[in-house]
């Protein structure tokens, strides 16, 4: 594997190898041990959108592995694909660094970078997918349940980048996912069909959040307004009424673990009560971004 762009193009064995390595490096790190496998290596981090977790976890993972991460804002380089073609940028960075990670609007941007750079390219979120998030999520689920096969996730909210990557991960690893979204905000049919081709009946779409949470092991949500959709904020908030992860929804599946990729908008897609519930594993998820990132960098860059 050269790049990490989408979970749909990895096979189950590769994903499990990443998860096992993430667990191993987490334990290693908690024991205070050092691994300098990326000494002298650099990761260029291109961001078209804001980030706390992704930026910090990649930067800290690089430092912990003895390497260096360089954060680049679009204005620093005159915009991705604006001052110069993406294919030129990719071939220049490839002569300087050992890896590129990019958070972009268009998914095609990370594909173009990967096509023209000989060094690994990592998708740090696009409008279409968020594979690093899904891997940290799956790692967290495996830690809490001791298994993946048969685990049922109820994803409540927008059929967006986070939902799509999670659905692909579920299909590859033998889990089930029900996506409950308002009409017009469902996960696209092509992605659902792809997950069901990988494993029959993995993904079910409904417009009823109450149906989705029945027998769920995990209740997952994400913002109703993703980065780049700020102009639609008022309409989205109105359209998503009834889809909040709140006490009445949680009461239908009282033992389910609660997950959110963060940042969370309390009072919209999730209540403060749900965030702070003893069933919440949200901050374990956030922590595991670091441990998965470390495994990914070690595997792709060393
Ligand atoms: N979950 C996540 O990707 O967070 P950031 O946008 O802060 O990186
Ligand atoms: N769906 C959200 C995820 C943020 C981590 C977004 O794209 O903004």
């Amino acid at each position: 594997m050269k790049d990490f762009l989408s979970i749909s193009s990895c096979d189950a064995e590769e994903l499990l190898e990443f998860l096992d390595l993430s667990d191993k490096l987490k334990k290693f790190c908690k024991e205070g041990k050092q691994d300098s496998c990326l000494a002298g290596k650099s990761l260029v981090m291109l961001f078209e959108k804001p980030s706390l977790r992704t930026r910090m976890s990649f930067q800290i993972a690089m430092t912990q592995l003895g390497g260096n991460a360089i954060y680049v804002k679009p204005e620093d380089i005159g915009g991705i694909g604006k001052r110069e073609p993406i294919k030129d940028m990719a071939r220049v960075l490839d002569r300087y660094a050992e890896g590129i990670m990019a958070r972009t609007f268009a998914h095609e941007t990370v594909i173009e970078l990967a096509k023209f750079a000989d060094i690994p390219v990592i998708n740090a979120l696009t409008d279409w997918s968020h594979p690093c998030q899904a891997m940290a999520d799956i790692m967290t689920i495996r830690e809490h349940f001791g298994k993946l096969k048969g685990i049922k996730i109820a994803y409540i909210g927008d059929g967006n980048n986070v939902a799509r990557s999670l659905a692909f991960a579920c299909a590859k690893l033998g889990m089930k996912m029900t996506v409950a979204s308002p009409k017009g905000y469902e996960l696209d049919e092509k992605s659902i069909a792809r997950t069901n081709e990988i494993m029959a009946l993995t993904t079910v779409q409904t417009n009823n959040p109450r149906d989705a949470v029945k027998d769920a092991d995990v209740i997952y949500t994400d913002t109703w307004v993703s980065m780049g959709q700020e102009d639609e904020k008022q309409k989205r908030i109105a359209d998503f009424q009834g889809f909040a992860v709140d006490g009445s929804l949680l009461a239908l599946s009282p033992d389910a673990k609660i997950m959110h990729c963060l940042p969370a908008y309390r009072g919209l897609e999730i209540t403060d009560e749900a965030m702070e519930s003893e069933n919440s594993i949200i901050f374990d998820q956030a922590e595991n971004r670091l441990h998965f990132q470390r495994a990914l960098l070690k595997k792709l860059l060393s």
Side-chain angles (χ1 to χ4, degrees):
M1 185 193 287
K2 175 176 99 61
D3 308 301
F4 188 69
L5 301 183
S6 169
I7 289 185
S8 60
S9 52
C10 301
D11 56 40
E13 289 69 37
E14 284 171 330
L15 297 178
L16 287 168
E17 245 179 69
F18 275 132
L19 292 176
D20 291 345
L21 185 60
S22 306
D23 288 348
K24 191 175 144 195
L25 296 183
K26 179 172 181 175
K27 190 165 170 273
F28 194 79
C29 175
K30 301 254 176 210
E31 287 165 357
K33 296 185 183 147
Q34 293 277 320
D35 176 349
S36 301
C37 62
L38 299 186
K41 301 202 172 183
S42 298
L43 175 74
V44 172
M45 307 196 297
L46 305 170
F47 279 90
E48 287 184 332
K49 300 178 178 183
S51 171
L52 172 71
R53 280 144 290 273
T54 308
R55 176 182 172 182
M56 294 306 152
S57 56
F58 270 102
Q59 186 145 2
I60 291 167
M62 276 306 284
T63 306
Q64 289 174 339
L65 294 172
N68 174 42
I70 304 154
Y71 173 69
V72 186
K73 295 195 286 278
E75 54 268 38
D76 295 341
I77 52 169
I80 299 177
K82 292 195 179 120
R83 185 163 172 257
E84 60 190 314
I86 293 168
K87 61 182 178 184
D88 291 357
M89 221 174 96
R91 285 175 293 178
V92 171
L93 292 176
D94 154 316
R95 307 275 177 119
Y96 298 158
E98 280 69 34
I100 300 172
M101 71 87 106
R103 167 168 286 198
T104 61
F105 289 97
H107 188 70
E108 292 67 31
T109 303
V110 294
I111 294 179
E112 182 88 346
L113 284 167
K115 187 171 162 197
F116 287 94
D118 288 333
I119 54 174
V121 175
I122 296 168
N123 173 358
L125 181 148
T126 66
D127 288 348
W128 192 74
S129 66
H130 198 2
C132 295
Q133 178 69 53
M135 290 303 288
D137 297 343
I138 299 294
M139 177 184 174
T140 311
I141 289 171
R142 195 167 75 157
E143 278 178 351
H144 281 274
F145 291 90
K147 62 172 188 177
L148 292 176
K149 280 205 167 51
I151 294 290
K152 196 180 152 209
I153 302 180
Y155 177 96
I156 313 297
D158 194 13
N160 61 13
N161 45 8
V162 167
R164 187 173 294 105
S165 291
L166 198 56
F168 286 138
C170 286
K172 297 275 177 177
L173 297 168
M175 304 163 74
K176 303 249 178 231
M177 180 157 150
T178 303
V179 182
S181 317
K183 283 201 170 56
Y185 296 96
E186 294 95 346
L187 193 55
D188 66 293
E189 279 176 21
K190 205 169 150 199
S191 297
I192 294 193
R194 173 85 186 106
T195 64
N196 291 334
E197 253 167 51
I198 300 168
M199 189 182 81
L201 306 175
T202 305
T203 317
V204 174
Q205 177 83 58
T206 169
N207 300 119
N208 186 338
R210 300 187 160 260
D211 283 350
V213 299
K214 264 184 226 140
D215 308 321
D217 298 300
V218 171
I219 298 176
Y220 195 119
T221 190
D222 180 20
T223 182
W224 296 337
V225 188
S226 282
M227 293 177 277
Q229 298 173 333
E230 291 77 8
D231 292 351
E232 300 168 30
K233 185 172 174 187
Q234 291 317 320
K235 176 168 172 32
R236 283 179 164 264
I237 291 176
D239 292 347
F240 278 87
Q241 289 311 304
F243 285 78
V245 171
D246 59 12
S248 73
L249 197 70
L250 295 173
L252 300 173
S253 206
D255 296 327
K257 301 288 184 203
I258 302 162
M259 298 181 76
H260 192 309
C261 58
L262 300 175
Y265 299 89
R266 286 169 160 85
L268 293 176
E269 78 276 3
I270 192 163
T271 58
D272 190 52
E273 178 199 5
M275 287 284 299
E276 304 302 335
S277 148
E278 60 181 24
N279 285 2
S280 162
I281 53 171
I282 291 170
F283 294 98
D284 295 339
Q285 252 180 290
E287 176 184 341
N288 284 338
R289 296 294 310 277
L290 172 66
H291 303 301
F292 169 70
Q293 250 73 289
R294 214 192 288 110
L296 181 69
L297 291 166
K298 182 177 169 77
K299 202 132 180 89
L300 295 190
L301 268 59
S302 68

